[in-house]
Amino acid sequence: MFFCSISGEPPQDPVISSKSGQVYERRLILKYINDNGTDPLTGEKLEESDLLTVKANPKTAPPRPPAATSTPALLHMLQNEWDALVLEMFALKQQYNSTRQELSYALYAQDAASRVIARLIRERDAAREALANVQATMGIAPASGTAEDVEMTEENGAQEGALPKEIVDQIDETQQNLSATRKKRKAPAGYTSTAEVKTFVATHTIPSLHSASPAGMTSLAVSRVNPSQFLTGGNDKIVQLYDRSTDKVLASLKGHTKKVNHVALREHEGESTLILSAGADKIAKIWAHDSASSEYIPKATIRTHKGELTGLVVHPTNSIVALSSLDKTYSLHELSNFTQVYRSAPGEDAFTSLAIHPDGALLALGTPSSKIQICDVRSGNIAASITPPDASSFTVNSLSFSENGYHLLAPDSLTSVAIWDLRKMKTAHTISLGEGFKVNKVLYDYSAQYLGVAGSEGIRVFAHKSWDELVRFEEAGDVSDIVFGEQGKEIWATSGREVRIWGLPA
């Protein structure tokens, strides 16, 4: 056996010096030669070429180190190996038990979910059977697909033409009932006076509504039944129902693929509340309140139009909703069975806004060419067409009838609004808002005493007939929608991700 003359241990790669005949480990002697250039024992000059490789045959395994050759050392090594093996087995056992427990929990959860689903299916089937029995007893034909989201398209609705007679009769009856009372109606007792409107201050701000990207709200509707609840549509494609009294989101309704342009609430005694929305994705969605779960469930999706929806209004009958679109048509849909009852023939211009007369017999449609069309709801015929005199072309993006039905409020340029007298078909007054003000929304209040204008520089409120500016709120910035609250005591508006409320000072 050889031993390295430098390390004193058996070499792994032995070489012999031709100068001294000593055995070295190759890596050690090469390092020494590089540093000194001599033989480490004799001091003679030594180069790498002077080293001769020792070739052993057969090759043998290197001997154990001295520490592993005694019996106590071997026992110690075996003990260490056994300890490592036991520890590894313990770790594997722990991992095995953990995996078994996770699998057990997953199986229990899956079994529980299956049981819940089975129970719900049984309850649903039982409810359907009970409903069918009640309908059979009362002689009512069961409606098809009442539990599903109905797809409303041209194929399952009425095409161009006149309204069905029963719908026309309903509109006529509503017109007669409303027109008999509204013309003589005065402002309700306790309604906000002009002097009180002038004192309005900011009373409440609800921040951080909808998503931050893309940010912004486009539309607003306030509940008449529960004035603390309001509905908003946003650029984030979501419709939100919020309760101001509890500061909680009651519902976040999804279904649109582009921004929501308009929202509305249908609240009618004896019927479930409906939430309606119209979007840039060419569809309108309808959700109904479910009293059992207190949630809003999807009831219908309207895909009638081929262009972006620009208007959504619930008809005074509370049984019809009207939609306008950039595809140059408008349509009417029944809310009892979610079917289309009318769609107009394509016009010359796209429709950019929509409003319905308080009596329900007329509707007004804005266009991108400054023209406003007034149509008969029952026949679909154009009753009148009005255009601001000497006006350059602009988009009529908002319309509002006064409650008495005599006047129509609409932009007559990008920075001014006009009040049209529908009895004479001419402007009664024009209000200029300034060079920097871009009109986004116009609105008459319920009493027809006030009119509000929302735009890029906040909100301005004017008195009807005197046309005096009563108050302005510039701190809101760019306002997309405006609503007068109950009894005219509040003004609501959407600005960015905030809903702002102004009212009487505390």
Side-chain angles (χ1 to χ4, degrees), residues 51 60 71 77 111 127 141 146 165 206 284 298 308-309 360-361 392-393 412 425 434 474 501:
L51 300 177
T60 58
T71 300
M77 289 177 59
D111 182 66
T146 54
K165 183 178 183 303
I206 303 164
E308 179 176 340
L309 298 184
S392 58
S393 181
D412 67 343
M425 285 299 169
E474 296 179 336
I501 304 172

Side-chain angles (χ1 to χ4, degrees), residues 71-93:
T71 300
L74 290 173
L75 291 174
H76 182 69
M77 289 177 59
L78 291 173
Q79 182 67 47
N80 290 340
E81 290 288 337
W82 171 256
D83 292 343
L85 179 62
V86 169
L87 291 174
E88 183 178 4
M89 289 181 63
F90 179 77
L92 289 174
K93 189 176 181 180

